[in-house]
Amino acid sequence: MRRRSLSLIVSTLYTWVAMVAFGGILVETIVIYPNVFHDPPSSLALAVDFFAITGPADLFPPMGALTAVLAVGTVVLLWRIRSARPWALGALASLALGEWLFSVLFFWPRNEIMFTEGIAVHSAEVLRRTAVEFETGHWVRLAMSGVTAVLAFTAHQRFRRAASA
């Protein structure tokens, strides 16, 4: 397969997955989070019961890994295209720093407090405060996911224009 065709396929897949991930996080924000965070700690306990079979933690880690692989592949494959390179690098940086690293440092400890340890370890006030912190930080994650999707799309479009010129 020629490099140009492979570049088109990988950057298209990356753009698509980044947009789907953003849509998933947006749906989570509008549909799931109001139910999860409406009355901590009792709503947190209900969420744990509700997500006993499958939940966001089952979808987003594999999707994040796929997005990361496609982001790196896109940067490598589009590296020679000057007009696309900064956009692809920006998308990768937004994904790595604004979504992954932020999630590891900010969300994972709060998930542990709210959904693993819960009321057995923490007071209701700690759980309420943690839920507010989580919801507030989530807006940053949602914005960064949107930035990643827009940058990936822009890199893809820049590549397509350069390839057709």
Side-chain angles (χ1 to χ4, degrees), residues 88-135:
L89 283 169
L92 177 59
S94 175
L95 177 68
L97 300 174
E99 294 185 66
W100 185 78
L101 187 61
F102 184 59
S103 289
V104 169
L105 297 176
F106 186 81
F107 290 106
W108 292 7
R110 285 161 181 80
N111 278 334
E112 184 78 17
I113 290 168
M114 293 185 300
F115 302 113
T116 303
E117 298 168 348
I119 199 75
V121 176
H122 301 283
S123 70
E125 183 53 36
V126 167
L127 293 172
R128 279 191 282 277
R129 186 176 64 245
T130 304
V132 168
E133 292 170 0
F134 187 98
E135 284 186 287

Side-chain angles (χ1 to χ4, degrees), residues 5-160:
S5 297
L6 183 61
S7 298
L8 180 62
I9 290 167
V10 171
S11 68
T12 299
L13 286 172
Y14 175 43
T15 300
W16 183 80
V17 170
M19 289 181 165
V20 168
F22 172 66
I25 293 170
L26 184 61
V27 167
E28 185 178 46
T29 303
I30 296 167
V31 176
I32 295 174
Y33 282 0
N35 292 300
V36 172
F37 296 111
H38 81 278
D39 184 28
S42 61
S43 61
L44 300 175
L46 287 171
V48 169
D49 291 342
F50 180 75
F51 292 125
I53 305 300
T54 187
D58 297 309
L59 170 69
F60 289 111
M63 180 176 264
L66 176 61
T67 308
V69 167
L70 291 170
V72 170
T74 296
V75 167
V76 169
L77 291 167
L78 301 188
W79 189 258
R80 295 180 189 169
I81 311 298
R82 285 199 136 139
S83 61
R85 184 185 312 150
W87 300 97
L89 283 169
L92 177 59
S94 175
L95 177 68
L97 300 174
E99 294 185 66
W100 185 78
L101 187 61
F102 184 59
S103 289
V104 169
L105 297 176
F106 186 81
F107 290 106
W108 292 7
R110 285 161 181 80
N111 278 334
E112 184 78 17
I113 290 168
M114 293 185 300
F115 302 113
T116 303
E117 298 168 348
I119 199 75
V121 176
H122 301 283
S123 70
E125 183 53 36
V126 167
L127 293 172
R128 279 191 282 277
R129 186 176 64 245
T130 304
V132 168
E133 292 170 0
F134 187 98
E135 284 186 287
T136 303
H138 178 72
W139 291 105
V140 173
R141 179 171 53 185
L142 178 64
M144 295 310 295
S145 180
V147 167
T148 300
V150 167
L151 292 172
F153 177 77
T154 304
H156 177 69
Q157 291 302 102
R158 296 286 175 115
F159 163 70
R160 289 188 60 224

